[in-house]
Amino acid sequence: MQSTRLTKLLNFLESEPNDPFVLYALATEYNSANDPEKAFEYYLKLVAEHPDYVGTYYHLGKLYEKTGKTEEGIKIYQKGMLAAKNKRDMHAFSELQGAYNSAAGLDYEDD
């Protein structure tokens, strides 16, 4: 049985099929519901159709990592850093860079 929130989001999607926020919200909802297949579907649609929707990249990268696809996650973080840089969103860039460093094993501890 679908949650009320998911049902509402799917209804929004019917009326606004290209709204990046609705796509992002659906991906996030499916991710929270442990349905990675559906989450990937919406996150990948966002990356393909709305590459400047920067918030997508962090969560898609984390989903790749969670499902054992770290190399794909690293590539997504890189794409996201480029998108964030192009939008001059340095906060998102910093978060993506941190996720990238962690996934790539580049975390350094201060001595």
Side-chain angles (χ1 to χ4, degrees):
M1 186 170 153
Q2 291 182 340
S3 74
T4 303
R5 184 170 40 215
L6 185 55
T7 301
K8 286 180 182 178
L9 289 170
L10 290 168
N11 288 335
F12 287 141
L13 184 65
E14 283 184 32
S15 62
E16 297 289 336
N18 293 314
D19 184 327
F21 178 75
V22 174
L23 294 170
Y24 178 80
L26 276 164
T28 302
E29 190 69 22
Y30 280 118
N31 193 16
S32 295
N34 291 317
D35 188 342
E37 187 176 310
K38 287 298 243 180
F40 274 123
E41 178 183 332
Y42 288 104
Y43 283 137
L44 292 172
K45 183 176 176 74
L46 271 164
V47 168
E49 297 177 10
H50 304 279
D52 61 339
Y53 201 84
V54 177
T56 306
Y57 296 95
Y58 179 87
H59 296 286
L60 177 55
K62 287 295 181 186
L63 183 58
Y64 273 127
E65 285 189 77
K66 181 176 148 184
T67 57
K69 299 174 183 172
T70 302
E71 288 302 316
E72 287 89 342
I74 289 170
K75 290 175 188 173
I76 285 296
Y77 295 139
Q78 290 173 317
K79 285 183 180 181
M81 286 187 289
L82 182 60
K85 191 174 182 180
N86 288 340
K87 286 189 79 173
R88 297 187 174 155
D89 185 341
M90 298 319 289
H91 177 74
F93 180 88
S94 178
E95 287 184 339
L96 286 159
Q97 188 173 43
Y100 169 83
N101 288 347
S102 178
L106 300 175
D107 284 337
Y108 303 106
E109 292 191 26
D110 293 333
D111 288 333

